[in-house]
Amino acid sequence: MKKRYNPYTLPPWVRQVREIGIQIIIPLTIFQGIRTVFFPTSFDVLLLALLILLAVAFRYDWI
């Protein structure tokens, strides 16, 4: 049987890093999206995709 993810079982420093990541990921994704519109390079597109994936993962508590 698969165990459910519980963020409270993590060490305190991991929880703090996770909370900081949740606060930073959306503004950073928006900035990267605007940057990708004006200066599209393959690295920018890949970075934007990674940031969107991280934002979705934080939103649905996958991380």
Side-chain angles (χ1 to χ4, degrees):
M1 190 167 170
K2 187 175 180 182
K3 291 177 73 175
R4 292 194 52 127
Y5 172 73
N6 187 358
Y8 296 107
T9 60
L10 298 172
W13 67 272
V14 174
R15 283 186 292 178
Q16 186 176 10
V17 168
R18 184 178 181 274
E19 290 171 6
I20 291 170
I22 289 171
Q23 293 176 358
I24 291 176
I25 194 71
I26 297 298
L28 191 61
T29 304
I30 291 170
F31 172 77
Q32 185 62 32
I34 293 169
R35 178 180 151 81
T36 303
V37 168
F38 290 115
F39 306 111
T41 64
S42 58
F43 176 74
D44 287 329
V45 173
L46 290 174
L47 184 59
L48 180 61
L50 177 70
L51 289 173
I52 290 172
L53 182 68
L54 278 172
V56 169
F58 279 133
R59 171 68 175 95
Y60 289 109
D61 289 328
W62 293 340
I63 296 178

PDB file of all heavy atoms in Angstrom, residues 11-37:
ATOM      1  N   PRO A  11      12.053  16.922   7.937  1.00  0.00           N
ATOM      2  CA  PRO A  11      12.843  17.721   8.876  1.00  0.00           C
ATOM      3  C   PRO A  11      12.487  19.202   8.746  1.00  0.00           C
ATOM      4  O   PRO A  11      12.057  19.654   7.684  1.00  0.00           O
ATOM      5  CB  PRO A  11      14.294  17.488   8.430  1.00  0.00           C
ATOM      6  CG  PRO A  11      14.260  16.247   7.619  1.00  0.00           C
ATOM      7  CD  PRO A  11      12.897  16.148   7.027  1.00  0.00           C
ATOM      8  N   PRO A  12      12.680  19.974   9.821  1.00  0.00           N
ATOM      9  CA  PRO A  12      12.290  21.395   9.783  1.00  0.00           C
ATOM     10  C   PRO A  12      12.978  22.192   8.681  1.00  0.00           C
ATOM     11  O   PRO A  12      12.349  23.052   8.068  1.00  0.00           O
ATOM     12  CB  PRO A  12      12.699  21.917  11.165  1.00  0.00           C
ATOM     13  CG  PRO A  12      12.777  20.717  12.027  1.00  0.00           C
ATOM     14  CD  PRO A  12      13.136  19.566  11.141  1.00  0.00           C
ATOM     15  N   TRP A  13      14.245  21.908   8.384  1.00  0.00           N
ATOM     16  CA  TRP A  13      14.938  22.696   7.372  1.00  0.00           C
ATOM     17  C   TRP A  13      14.381  22.402   5.980  1.00  0.00           C
ATOM     18  O   TRP A  13      14.346  23.282   5.128  1.00  0.00           O
ATOM     19  CB  TRP A  13      16.447  22.470   7.435  1.00  0.00           C
ATOM     20  CG  TRP A  13      16.892  21.087   7.059  1.00  0.00           C
ATOM     21  CD1 TRP A  13      17.005  20.026   7.898  1.00  0.00           C
ATOM     22  CD2 TRP A  13      17.238  20.628   5.762  1.00  0.00           C
ATOM     23  NE1 TRP A  13      17.415  18.928   7.195  1.00  0.00           N
ATOM     24  CE2 TRP A  13      17.578  19.259   5.886  1.00  0.00           C
ATOM     25  CE3 TRP A  13      17.312  21.233   4.512  1.00  0.00           C
ATOM     26  CZ2 TRP A  13      17.973  18.495   4.795  1.00  0.00           C
ATOM     27  CZ3 TRP A  13      17.712  20.467   3.437  1.00  0.00           C
ATOM     28  CH2 TRP A  13      18.043  19.117   3.582  1.00  0.00           C
ATOM     29  N   VAL A  14      13.916  21.172   5.743  1.00  0.00           N
ATOM     30  CA  VAL A  14      13.322  20.836   4.442  1.00  0.00           C
ATOM     31  C   VAL A  14      11.974  21.532   4.294  1.00  0.00           C
ATOM     32  O   VAL A  14      11.637  22.037   3.227  1.00  0.00           O
ATOM     33  CB  VAL A  14      13.185  19.309   4.286  1.00  0.00           C
ATOM     34  CG1 VAL A  14      12.447  18.958   3.007  1.00  0.00           C
ATOM     35  CG2 VAL A  14      14.541  18.639   4.317  1.00  0.00           C
ATOM     36  N   ARG A  15      11.212  21.576   5.385  1.00  0.00           N
ATOM     37  CA  ARG A  15       9.929  22.289   5.336  1.00  0.00           C
ATOM     38  C   ARG A  15      10.126  23.770   5.061  1.00  0.00           C
ATOM     39  O   ARG A  15       9.373  24.380   4.308  1.00  0.00           O
ATOM     40  CB  ARG A  15       9.159  22.094   6.642  1.00  0.00           C
ATOM     41  CG  ARG A  15       8.509  20.736   6.738  1.00  0.00           C
ATOM     42  CD  ARG A  15       7.656  20.642   7.933  1.00  0.00           C
ATOM     43  NE  ARG A  15       8.535  20.674   9.122  1.00  0.00           N
ATOM     44  CZ  ARG A  15       8.128  20.653  10.364  1.00  0.00           C
ATOM     45  NH1 ARG A  15       6.860  20.626  10.636  1.00  0.00           N
ATOM     46  NH2 ARG A  15       8.984  20.662  11.353  1.00  0.00           N
ATOM     47  N   GLN A  16      11.174  24.362   5.654  1.00  0.00           N
ATOM     48  CA  GLN A  16      11.440  25.779   5.441  1.00  0.00           C
ATOM     49  C   GLN A  16      11.846  26.039   3.993  1.00  0.00           C
ATOM     50  O   GLN A  16      11.382  27.008   3.377  1.00  0.00           O
ATOM     51  CB  GLN A  16      12.526  26.262   6.391  1.00  0.00           C
ATOM     52  CG  GLN A  16      12.748  27.751   6.312  1.00  0.00           C
ATOM     53  CD  GLN A  16      13.764  28.228   7.328  1.00  0.00           C
ATOM     54  OE1 GLN A  16      14.440  27.443   7.972  1.00  0.00           O
ATOM     55  NE2 GLN A  16      13.863  29.538   7.467  1.00  0.00           N
ATOM     56  N   VAL A  17      12.701  25.195   3.433  1.00  0.00           N
ATOM     57  CA  VAL A  17      13.097  25.345   2.030  1.00  0.00           C
ATOM     58  C   VAL A  17      11.877  25.208   1.128  1.00  0.00           C
ATOM     59  O   VAL A  17      11.718  25.946   0.154  1.00  0.00           O
ATOM     60  CB  VAL A  17      14.186  24.310   1.666  1.00  0.00           C
ATOM     61  CG1 VAL A  17      14.394  24.237   0.164  1.00  0.00           C
ATOM     62  CG2 VAL A  17      15.483  24.642   2.368  1.00  0.00           C
ATOM     63  N   ARG A  18      10.992  24.281   1.435  1.00  0.00           N
ATOM     64  CA  ARG A  18       9.771  24.074   0.647  1.00  0.00           C
ATOM     65  C   ARG A  18       8.871  25.311   0.706  1.00  0.00           C
ATOM     66  O   ARG A  18       8.334  25.750  -0.310  1.00  0.00           O
ATOM     67  CB  ARG A  18       9.035  22.845   1.162  1.00  0.00           C
ATOM     68  CG  ARG A  18       7.822  22.482   0.359  1.00  0.00           C
ATOM     69  CD  ARG A  18       7.190  21.196   0.924  1.00  0.00           C
ATOM     70  NE  ARG A  18       6.048  20.830   0.157  1.00  0.00           N
ATOM     71  CZ  ARG A  18       4.815  21.290   0.359  1.00  0.00           C
ATOM     72  NH1 ARG A  18       4.589  22.145   1.325  1.00  0.00           N
ATOM     73  NH2 ARG A  18       3.829  20.913  -0.404  1.00  0.00           N
ATOM     74  N   GLU A  19       8.705  25.892   1.889  1.00  0.00           N
ATOM     75  CA  GLU A  19       7.859  27.076   2.030  1.00  0.00           C
ATOM     76  C   GLU A  19       8.444  28.271   1.274  1.00  0.00           C
ATOM     77  O   GLU A  19       7.709  29.040   0.650  1.00  0.00           O
ATOM     78  CB  GLU A  19       7.689  27.417   3.505  1.00  0.00           C
ATOM     79  CG  GLU A  19       6.837  26.410   4.249  1.00  0.00           C
ATOM     80  CD  GLU A  19       6.837  26.625   5.754  1.00  0.00           C
ATOM     81  OE1 GLU A  19       7.412  27.643   6.209  1.00  0.00           O
ATOM     82  OE2 GLU A  19       6.283  25.783   6.460  1.00  0.00           O
ATOM     83  N   ILE A  20       9.759  28.421   1.310  1.00  0.00           N
ATOM     84  CA  ILE A  20      10.405  29.503   0.559  1.00  0.00           C
ATOM     85  C   ILE A  20      10.227  29.274  -0.937  1.00  0.00           C
ATOM     86  O   ILE A  20       9.954  30.204  -1.699  1.00  0.00           O
ATOM     87  CB  ILE A  20      11.892  29.607   0.941  1.00  0.00           C
ATOM     88  CG1 ILE A  20      12.024  30.114   2.372  1.00  0.00           C
ATOM     89  CG2 ILE A  20      12.643  30.522  -0.023  1.00  0.00           C
ATOM     90  CD1 ILE A  20      13.425  30.038   2.935  1.00  0.00           C
ATOM     91  N   GLY A  21      10.372  28.031  -1.371  1.00  0.00           N
ATOM     92  CA  GLY A  21      10.175  27.705  -2.780  1.00  0.00           C
ATOM     93  C   GLY A  21       8.768  28.020  -3.255  1.00  0.00           C
ATOM     94  O   GLY A  21       8.572  28.523  -4.361  1.00  0.00           O
ATOM     95  N   ILE A  22       7.779  27.734  -2.421  1.00  0.00           N
ATOM     96  CA  ILE A  22       6.387  28.015  -2.778  1.00  0.00           C
ATOM     97  C   ILE A  22       6.176  29.517  -2.959  1.00  0.00           C
ATOM     98  O   ILE A  22       5.464  29.953  -3.862  1.00  0.00           O
ATOM     99  CB  ILE A  22       5.435  27.436  -1.703  1.00  0.00           C
ATOM    100  CG1 ILE A  22       5.441  25.910  -1.791  1.00  0.00           C
ATOM    101  CG2 ILE A  22       4.027  27.985  -1.855  1.00  0.00           C
ATOM    102  CD1 ILE A  22       4.714  25.226  -0.650  1.00  0.00           C
ATOM    103  N   GLN A  23       6.814  30.331  -2.111  1.00  0.00           N
ATOM    104  CA  GLN A  23       6.642  31.780  -2.207  1.00  0.00           C
ATOM    105  C   GLN A  23       7.361  32.378  -3.407  1.00  0.00           C
ATOM    106  O   GLN A  23       6.938  33.396  -3.948  1.00  0.00           O
ATOM    107  CB  GLN A  23       7.149  32.451  -0.932  1.00  0.00           C
ATOM    108  CG  GLN A  23       6.323  32.135   0.285  1.00  0.00           C
ATOM    109  CD  GLN A  23       6.912  32.744   1.541  1.00  0.00           C
ATOM    110  OE1 GLN A  23       7.952  33.373   1.505  1.00  0.00           O
ATOM    111  NE2 GLN A  23       6.232  32.545   2.649  1.00  0.00           N
ATOM    112  N   ILE A  24       8.452  31.779  -3.832  1.00  0.00           N
ATOM    113  CA  ILE A  24       9.279  32.358  -4.890  1.00  0.00           C
ATOM    114  C   ILE A  24       8.902  31.860  -6.283  1.00  0.00           C
ATOM    115  O   ILE A  24       9.092  32.578  -7.266  1.00  0.00           O
ATOM    116  CB  ILE A  24      10.770  32.055  -4.593  1.00  0.00           C
ATOM    117  CG1 ILE A  24      11.216  32.846  -3.379  1.00  0.00           C
ATOM    118  CG2 ILE A  24      11.650  32.348  -5.776  1.00  0.00           C
ATOM    119  CD1 ILE A  24      12.630  32.557  -2.943  1.00  0.00           C
ATOM    120  N   ILE A  25       8.338  30.670  -6.409  1.00  0.00           N
ATOM    121  CA  ILE A  25       8.197  30.023  -7.711  1.00  0.00           C
ATOM    122  C   ILE A  25       7.259  30.775  -8.669  1.00  0.00           C
ATOM    123  O   ILE A  25       7.565  30.898  -9.851  1.00  0.00           O
ATOM    124  CB  ILE A  25       7.772  28.541  -7.563  1.00  0.00           C
ATOM    125  CG1 ILE A  25       7.954  27.793  -8.871  1.00  0.00           C
ATOM    126  CG2 ILE A  25       6.349  28.422  -7.078  1.00  0.00           C
ATOM    127  CD1 ILE A  25       9.366  27.565  -9.231  1.00  0.00           C
ATOM    128  N   ILE A  26       6.159  31.307  -8.196  1.00  0.00           N
ATOM    129  CA  ILE A  26       5.203  31.982  -9.084  1.00  0.00           C
ATOM    130  C   ILE A  26       5.773  33.286  -9.655  1.00  0.00           C
ATOM    131  O   ILE A  26       5.742  33.481 -10.879  1.00  0.00           O
ATOM    132  CB  ILE A  26       3.846  32.209  -8.377  1.00  0.00           C
ATOM    133  CG1 ILE A  26       3.206  30.881  -8.021  1.00  0.00           C
ATOM    134  CG2 ILE A  26       2.910  33.047  -9.242  1.00  0.00           C
ATOM    135  CD1 ILE A  26       2.876  29.990  -9.204  1.00  0.00           C
ATOM    136  N   PRO A  27       6.314  34.208  -8.829  1.00  0.00           N
ATOM    137  CA  PRO A  27       6.902  35.421  -9.430  1.00  0.00           C
ATOM    138  C   PRO A  27       8.070  35.114 -10.363  1.00  0.00           C
ATOM    139  O   PRO A  27       8.225  35.762 -11.405  1.00  0.00           O
ATOM    140  CB  PRO A  27       7.378  36.238  -8.226  1.00  0.00           C
ATOM    141  CG  PRO A  27       6.629  35.710  -7.071  1.00  0.00           C
ATOM    142  CD  PRO A  27       6.319  34.289  -7.371  1.00  0.00           C
ATOM    143  N   LEU A  28       8.877  34.123 -10.022  1.00  0.00           N
ATOM    144  CA  LEU A  28      10.002  33.749 -10.878  1.00  0.00           C
ATOM    145  C   LEU A  28       9.512  33.173 -12.209  1.00  0.00           C
ATOM    146  O   LEU A  28      10.077  33.467 -13.264  1.00  0.00           O
ATOM    147  CB  LEU A  28      10.880  32.733 -10.149  1.00  0.00           C
ATOM    148  CG  LEU A  28      12.225  32.415 -10.762  1.00  0.00           C
ATOM    149  CD1 LEU A  28      13.079  33.677 -10.832  1.00  0.00           C
ATOM    150  CD2 LEU A  28      12.924  31.357  -9.938  1.00  0.00           C
ATOM    151  N   THR A  29       8.434  32.398 -12.172  1.00  0.00           N
ATOM    152  CA  THR A  29       7.865  31.843 -13.399  1.00  0.00           C
ATOM    153  C   THR A  29       7.289  32.944 -14.285  1.00  0.00           C
ATOM    154  O   THR A  29       7.463  32.915 -15.508  1.00  0.00           O
ATOM    155  CB  THR A  29       6.777  30.810 -13.053  1.00  0.00           C
ATOM    156  OG1 THR A  29       7.341  29.805 -12.206  1.00  0.00           O
ATOM    157  CG2 THR A  29       6.208  30.163 -14.296  1.00  0.00           C
ATOM    158  N   ILE A  30       6.624  33.913 -13.681  1.00  0.00           N
ATOM    159  CA  ILE A  30       6.064  35.029 -14.454  1.00  0.00           C
ATOM    160  C   ILE A  30       7.190  35.840 -15.102  1.00  0.00           C
ATOM    161  O   ILE A  30       7.121  36.185 -16.288  1.00  0.00           O
ATOM    162  CB  ILE A  30       5.178  35.911 -13.556  1.00  0.00           C
ATOM    163  CG1 ILE A  30       3.922  35.134 -13.164  1.00  0.00           C
ATOM    164  CG2 ILE A  30       4.810  37.218 -14.255  1.00  0.00           C
ATOM    165  CD1 ILE A  30       3.086  35.799 -12.097  1.00  0.00           C
ATOM    166  N   PHE A  31       8.238  36.127 -14.326  1.00  0.00           N
ATOM    167  CA  PHE A  31       9.376  36.858 -14.886  1.00  0.00           C
ATOM    168  C   PHE A  31      10.010  36.084 -16.030  1.00  0.00           C
ATOM    169  O   PHE A  31      10.326  36.661 -17.078  1.00  0.00           O
ATOM    170  CB  PHE A  31      10.415  37.129 -13.789  1.00  0.00           C
ATOM    171  CG  PHE A  31      11.691  37.703 -14.316  1.00  0.00           C
ATOM    172  CD1 PHE A  31      11.757  39.040 -14.675  1.00  0.00           C
ATOM    173  CD2 PHE A  31      12.815  36.913 -14.465  1.00  0.00           C
ATOM    174  CE1 PHE A  31      12.935  39.584 -15.179  1.00  0.00           C
ATOM    175  CE2 PHE A  31      13.994  37.436 -14.967  1.00  0.00           C
ATOM    176  CZ  PHE A  31      14.054  38.776 -15.324  1.00  0.00           C
ATOM    177  N   GLN A  32      10.196  34.791 -15.856  1.00  0.00           N
ATOM    178  CA  GLN A  32      10.813  33.985 -16.907  1.00  0.00           C
ATOM    179  C   GLN A  32       9.916  33.906 -18.137  1.00  0.00           C
ATOM    180  O   GLN A  32      10.405  33.881 -19.264  1.00  0.00           O
ATOM    181  CB  GLN A  32      11.136  32.584 -16.384  1.00  0.00           C
ATOM    182  CG  GLN A  32      11.882  31.727 -17.361  1.00  0.00           C
ATOM    183  CD  GLN A  32      13.239  32.301 -17.722  1.00  0.00           C
ATOM    184  OE1 GLN A  32      13.879  32.945 -16.909  1.00  0.00           O
ATOM    185  NE2 GLN A  32      13.673  32.063 -18.939  1.00  0.00           N
ATOM    186  N   GLY A  33       8.600  33.871 -17.935  1.00  0.00           N
ATOM    187  CA  GLY A  33       7.679  33.869 -19.076  1.00  0.00           C
ATOM    188  C   GLY A  33       7.783  35.145 -19.889  1.00  0.00           C
ATOM    189  O   GLY A  33       7.813  35.115 -21.127  1.00  0.00           O
ATOM    190  N   ILE A  34       7.873  36.291 -19.200  1.00  0.00           N
ATOM    191  CA  ILE A  34       8.024  37.574 -19.899  1.00  0.00           C
ATOM    192  C   ILE A  34       9.368  37.620 -20.614  1.00  0.00           C
ATOM    193  O   ILE A  34       9.455  38.055 -21.774  1.00  0.00           O
ATOM    194  CB  ILE A  34       7.880  38.742 -18.900  1.00  0.00           C
ATOM    195  CG1 ILE A  34       6.441  38.792 -18.380  1.00  0.00           C
ATOM    196  CG2 ILE A  34       8.264  40.064 -19.541  1.00  0.00           C
ATOM    197  CD1 ILE A  34       6.240  39.725 -17.213  1.00  0.00           C
ATOM    198  N   ARG A  35      10.415  37.143 -19.953  1.00  0.00           N
ATOM    199  CA  ARG A  35      11.748  37.123 -20.575  1.00  0.00           C
ATOM    200  C   ARG A  35      11.765  36.217 -21.804  1.00  0.00           C
ATOM    201  O   ARG A  35      12.379  36.554 -22.819  1.00  0.00           O
ATOM    202  CB  ARG A  35      12.774  36.644 -19.549  1.00  0.00           C
ATOM    203  CG  ARG A  35      14.167  36.537 -20.075  1.00  0.00           C
ATOM    204  CD  ARG A  35      15.111  36.047 -18.977  1.00  0.00           C
ATOM    205  NE  ARG A  35      16.221  35.307 -19.508  1.00  0.00           N
ATOM    206  CZ  ARG A  35      17.315  35.866 -20.019  1.00  0.00           C
ATOM    207  NH1 ARG A  35      17.415  37.171 -20.036  1.00  0.00           N
ATOM    208  NH2 ARG A  35      18.291  35.122 -20.494  1.00  0.00           N
ATOM    209  N   THR A  36      11.078  35.097 -21.730  1.00  0.00           N
ATOM    210  CA  THR A  36      11.039  34.160 -22.855  1.00  0.00           C
ATOM    211  C   THR A  36      10.288  34.761 -24.049  1.00  0.00           C
ATOM    212  O   THR A  36      10.638  34.489 -25.195  1.00  0.00           O
ATOM    213  CB  THR A  36      10.385  32.838 -22.421  1.00  0.00           C
ATOM    214  OG1 THR A  36      11.115  32.315 -21.318  1.00  0.00           O
ATOM    215  CG2 THR A  36      10.389  31.822 -23.533  1.00  0.00           C
ATOM    216  N   VAL A  37       9.289  35.574 -23.780  1.00  0.00           N
ATOM    217  CA  VAL A  37       8.553  36.220 -24.878  1.00  0.00           C
ATOM    218  C   VAL A  37       9.465  37.185 -25.637  1.00  0.00           C
ATOM    219  O   VAL A  37       9.441  37.234 -26.870  1.00  0.00           O
ATOM    220  CB  VAL A  37       7.301  36.950 -24.328  1.00  0.00           C
ATOM    221  CG1 VAL A  37       6.700  37.866 -25.374  1.00  0.00           C
ATOM    222  CG2 VAL A  37       6.272  35.939 -23.858  1.00  0.00           C
TER     223      VAL A  37
END
